[in-house]
């Protein structure tokens, strides 16, 4: 899924360390009808953030003929980092070597995750790419969980992947599949470093610094691929739209939602992203999916939701959770 999906973006994901950092707010178990109605506002914010991210990815695909995959990643990360740095104004002093090591690792992960994801988008439909990518966080969720039931969700997700292949991956670009799975692995890594960064840096300062690191790391590759094409005004304008839709707007919406939305609900809503991606690919890119593809995506979404509910349901019922740094839930 794509980078900054929560703090500059990015996606709450079905992983204990990330999801457990959420907030138990209105609309949780035992809430009165009035609270449930009020919780629809935060739900709408999260869904709007997901729509913004995936439609931003669709716009990025439209921009790729001008810049290439690495070029659009360079522009997106660079522009989003500038916005985040201007808004957060993170301080640079007072941090240990370990703190900076975490930020550097987080930034490298951001660059790799986005680079692999956009390489996948050059080769396979958006809905398929996001569905394969979400397997990374789902696999991490199953690995770190000690509950046998999560193996069932893993099997369900595997069934979705088999359906997605249509009995054989020969109908899908295998290189694109590999890139999407690699992005999923980086997404799982992102979750780990996002949580660590959130503990070491206040607010979204750590994310802003990590995005700057990621932008600097990808910059030489972007220049090598696209050169002066990155400076064309119309290209910069569209890239700014991508950065805003995929990073700045979702971060703002999710930050507002997380103040009142239960963590399990937030995570489940983020699990809908493969479906949203498929819809945006169809509407903007004319990437129609077969009935089998739609069923495959539905199975992966169901597996992701099941893993979230299994891991967070009991925890959310037994105790309230501290406020979360959205970056811990991003893609």
């Amino acid at each position: 899924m794509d980078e900054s999906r929560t703090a500059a973006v990015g996606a709450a994901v079905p992983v204990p360390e990330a999801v457990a950092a959420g907030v138990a707010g209105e609309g949780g178990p035992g809430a009165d009808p009035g609270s449930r109605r009020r919780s629809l506002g935060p739900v709408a914010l999260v869904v709007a953030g997901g729509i913004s991210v995936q439609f931003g990815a669709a716009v990025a695909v439209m921009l790729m003929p001008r810049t290439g995959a690495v070029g659009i990643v360079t522009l997106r990360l660079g522009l989003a980092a500038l916005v985040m740095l201007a808004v957060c104004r993170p301080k640079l002093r007072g941090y240990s070597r370990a703190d900076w090591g975490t930020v550097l690792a987080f930034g490298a992960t951001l660059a790799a995750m986005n680079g692999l994801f956009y390489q996948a988008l050059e080769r396979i439909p958006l809905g398929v790419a996001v569905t394969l990518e979400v397997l990374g966080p789902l696999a991490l969720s199953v690995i770190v969980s000690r509950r046998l039931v999560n193996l069932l969700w893993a099997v369900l997700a595997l069934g979705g992947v088999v359906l997605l292949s249509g009995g054989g991956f020969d109908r899908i670009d295998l290189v694109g599949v590999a890139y999407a799975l690699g992005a999923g692995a980086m997404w799982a890594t992102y979750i780990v470093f996002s949580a660590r960064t959130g503990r070491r840096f206040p607010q979204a300062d750590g994310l802003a610094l990590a995005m700057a690191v990621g932008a600097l790391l990808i910059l030489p590759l972007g220049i090598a691929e696209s050169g002066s094409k990155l400076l064309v005004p119309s290209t910069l304008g569209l890239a700014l739209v991508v950065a805003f839709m995929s990073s700045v707007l979702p971060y703002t919406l999710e930050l507002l939602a997380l103040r009142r939305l239960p963590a399990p609900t937030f995570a489940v809503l983020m699990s809908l992203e493969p479906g949203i991606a498929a819809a945006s690919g169809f509407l903007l890119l004319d990437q129609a999916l077969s009935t089998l593809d739609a069923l495959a995506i539905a199975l992966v979404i169901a597996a992701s939701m099941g893993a979230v509910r299994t891991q967070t349901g009991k925890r959310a019922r037994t105790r309230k959770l501290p406020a979360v740094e959205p970056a811990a839930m991003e893609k």
Side-chain angles (χ1 to χ4, degrees), residues 66-75 215-230:
R66 302 188 187 187
T67 65
V70 179
I72 187 58
V73 173
T74 301
L75 289 175
L216 290 174
L217 289 176
I218 201 73
L219 180 60
L221 298 179
I223 293 176
E225 180 179 76
S226 303
S228 60
K229 294 179 182 178
L230 299 177

Side-chain angles (χ1 to χ4, degrees), residues 135 138 152-165 299-300 303:
L135 295 179
L138 182 58
L152 297 178
W153 302 128
V155 171
L156 186 64
L158 182 60
V161 173
V162 171
L163 286 179
L164 203 59
S165 72
L299 286 177
V300 174

